[in-house]
Amino acid sequence: MSTEPTRDDAQRIHLNLFTMNTVGHLSPGLWRHPSDQSRRYTELPYWLDIARTAEAGLLDAIFFADVLGTYDVYGGNPEAALRGGVQVPVNDPLQLVPALASVTENIGFGVTASTSFEHPFPFARRMSTLDHLTGGRVGWNVVTSYLGSGARNVGLEAQVSHDRRYDIAEEYLEVCYKLWQRSWDDDAIVADAATGVFADPERVHPIAHQGEFFSVPGFHLAEPSPQRTPVIYQAGASSRGVRFAARHAEHVFVAAPTRTVLRKQVQAVRDAAAEAGRDRTPPVLNQLTVIVSDTDAHAQQLFEEYLDVASPEGALTLMSGWTGVDFSQLDPDAPLTGHSSNAIQSALAAFTDADPSRAWTPREIADYARIGGDGPAIVGSASTVADAIEEIVEETGVSGFNLAAVSQPETLRGIVEHLVPELQSRGRFKREYAPGTLREKLGGSAPRPATDHPAAQVRIPGA
């Protein structure tokens, strides 16, 4: 008789692979480690192997980070980023998805794309295309972008202010929702060979959108995809970001360095979702780095090896970009206080005022962030890591984790071979994928957005 504990879906933990179409990702300098293969990020077989491994581990999704810009805040130039391979060079994550979908059947693909640098009309078509080609396994991590270099390279004089970027994002999503949800009726495709009618013009509707930031008079170019609207992820924990997430997100992604900060962020999302009238609080996923092996001693050995090649300068290059604060100009041993940000406000707050019990210095932040960036790291055997994960879940209310790789694919293989079976034995992780689209696999009752979601509520004239 099985002694596996019985857990309902709410007690099971969501796990994504968190990666990026670049050398390294969140552990700068690890490209030098002999087991790391991330220098092969331009090779398709490298990514196909990762996708197959992640699906073998039943992970919910491969969650792709992205930036459209370079980390040039540290030292006032991009030299440290270029020298250390700190998220540069970086390729487009969307281009990978059809290939990865072709060798998998169930795993989802969350792609990060910004609302700040591209018009929604062509972007909406690209997402519909991905949803079609993956059979409805696509999610969109909505970001507003924070790197000034990205803004300048698309013709802006400077980055738009933090809260104003969210105003743009609100209208951006409204346009996308109209295109995805209402432009084409479900029965618009007739494909009647006898009459020669493929699409009934009466069932295809121009969205007639005229707003403060965008004008889109016409109709969507793609027919309805399996989900119509991709699963909406949102990575924002500032006060404005939380309000945005409470309205739009189906999963919320945060990067909290301590449990105190994480507990506050989860509660903030719950409060904002209730205020926004959502029927269900969107699950919150925290960034987490897991180094797991067959024993605590071997996992610790791996961790020490990684630390030997990790780059403190690379860590501060990342932190400078995320926070908008040039760490090269700060006293390395003075507490980080009194700074404001037009970049990722929650990234700065997490190391300043979000946890009054901890005063971080730049030197401590560099030491912390060189493995796993601005999220915490857990090192140990499967049992040790699973114990820690369960404690985090119980203490903070977080629903799951975006698992960042240190040495790729070594880190991922450790998770699949050691951590996943341990969580399954505790009833904390699924033993098979649910049928259907990504939205359904994540617990949704239908392929398309729930009725309390703004995508389901949007309307256009004549539709």
Side-chain angles (χ1 to χ4, degrees):
M1 178 183 299
S2 173
T3 59
E4 179 179 322
T6 301
R7 304 274 187 177
D8 60 28
D9 289 341
Q11 293 176 302
R12 293 197 175 99
I13 296 169
H14 292 284
L15 296 178
N16 296 326
L17 170 64
F18 190 34
T19 189
M20 192 172 184
N21 195 359
T22 187
V23 59
H25 177 205
L26 290 173
S27 297
L30 262 294
W31 58 268
R32 300 184 297 155
H33 192 277
S35 71
D36 182 72
Q37 297 183 34
S38 67
R39 284 169 288 180
R40 296 178 54 216
Y41 77 98
T42 60
E43 302 174 21
L44 190 55
Y46 165 79
W47 287 109
L48 298 179
D49 178 62
I50 285 175
R52 292 187 184 103
T53 303
E55 181 162 83
L58 300 177
L59 301 190
D60 291 333
I62 301 174
F63 191 104
F64 284 101
D66 193 35
V67 289
L68 193 62
T70 55
Y71 287 81
D72 60 357
V73 176
Y74 185 83
N77 59 65
E79 292 179 7
L82 287 164
R83 188 167 52 244
V86 182
Q87 295 189 9
V88 63
V90 56
N91 287 348
D92 187 344
L94 276 70
Q95 304 297 321
L96 291 171
V97 171
L100 304 189
S102 73
V103 297
T104 58
E105 296 181 359
N106 288 288
I107 197 165
F109 304 96
V111 292
T112 297
S114 175
T115 59
S116 295
F117 302 145
E118 179 183 11
H119 196 281
F121 184 71
F123 174 75
R125 182 178 68 159
R126 278 211 305 283
M127 292 303 292
S128 291
T129 302
L130 290 182
D131 203 49
H132 278 298
L133 294 178
T134 62
R137 288 189 277 150
V138 168
W140 173 23
N141 177 38
V142 183
V143 297
T144 64
S145 292
Y146 51 88
L147 293 176
S149 59
R152 293 188 296 272
N153 281 320
V154 296
L156 301 176
E157 292 185 3
Q159 183 60 278
V160 176
S161 66
H162 178 274
D163 286 8
R164 189 61 168 166
R165 296 199 302 269
Y166 276 104
D167 295 339
I168 296 170
E170 290 280 2
E171 187 178 333
Y172 196 108
L173 264 67
E174 180 185 352
V175 172
C176 287
Y177 293 157
K178 289 177 178 178
L179 291 167
W180 289 327
Q181 294 289 128
R182 301 298 179 194
S183 187
W184 289 67
D185 293 348
D186 283 335
D187 57 356
I189 299 297
V190 179
D192 189 332
T195 64
V197 176
F198 186 78
D200 181 352
E202 296 298 319
R203 304 175 196 175
V204 181
H205 312 284
I207 69 169
H209 180 88
Q210 183 64 52
E212 180 180 1
F213 305 107
F214 304 108
S215 174
V216 184
F219 56 83
H220 192 33
L221 294 177
E223 65 180 271
S225 67
Q227 297 183 115
R228 279 193 179 257
T229 294
V231 171
I232 302 296
Y233 297 94
Q234 210 282 315
S238 67
S239 58
R240 183 64 179 90
V242 168
R243 294 199 306 274
F244 183 86
R247 185 159 183 261
H248 297 282
E250 293 171 272
H251 277 217
V252 178
F253 171 46
V254 300
T258 68
R259 298 182 191 185
T260 299
V261 175
L262 180 56
R263 184 169 58 252
K264 289 182 177 180
Q265 291 180 345
V266 171
Q267 189 59 52
V269 171
R270 288 174 174 170
D271 293 344
E275 185 175 341
R278 296 285 292 275
D279 295 335
R280 175 174 174 260
T281 299
V284 178
L285 311 177
N286 195 41
Q287 181 179 307
L288 179 66
T289 299
V290 165
I291 300 170
V292 59
S293 189
D294 52 349
T295 66
D296 287 337
H298 188 241
Q300 187 63 37
Q301 178 187 332
L302 290 174
F303 182 57
E304 296 296 334
E305 289 179 6
Y306 299 153
L307 283 175
D308 284 343
V309 298
S311 169
E313 182 184 59
L316 290 182
T317 300
L318 286 174
M319 290 300 305
S320 294
W322 293 332
T323 63
V325 175
D326 184 356
F327 278 76
S328 73
Q329 302 300 309
L330 303 181
D331 181 343
D333 296 308
L336 183 66
T337 58
H339 295 278
S340 59
S341 173
N342 190 36
I344 306 178
Q345 291 185 354
S346 59
L348 180 59
F351 290 97
T352 54
D353 57 355
D355 185 355
S357 68
R358 179 74 188 268
W360 294 81
T361 67
R363 192 184 306 279
E364 290 170 332
I365 291 173
D367 184 62
Y368 174 91
R370 59 185 168 145
I371 298 292
D374 52 348
I378 302 174
V379 179
S381 66
S383 178
T384 297
V385 172
D387 285 346
I389 283 177
E390 287 194 306
E391 289 173 5
I392 294 170
V393 169
E394 296 303 326
E395 186 176 330
T396 67
V398 73
S399 297
F401 303 92
N402 273 358
L403 299 175
V406 180
S407 173
Q408 191 70 291
E410 185 175 53
T411 303
L412 173 60
R413 288 174 180 161
I415 291 166
V416 170
E417 294 172 9
H418 300 292
L419 179 59
V420 166
E422 179 66 24
L423 291 174
Q424 287 173 329
S425 72
R426 302 179 183 206
R428 284 293 201 173
F429 194 67
K430 61 183 176 293
R431 289 189 174 273
E432 61 183 8
Y433 285 105
T437 63
L438 176 59
R439 181 169 283 112
E440 291 168 291
K441 293 178 191 299
L442 294 176
S445 60
R448 295 172 182 175
T451 56
D452 69 333
H453 193 277
Q457 300 167 353
V458 73
R459 295 289 182 270
I460 62 173

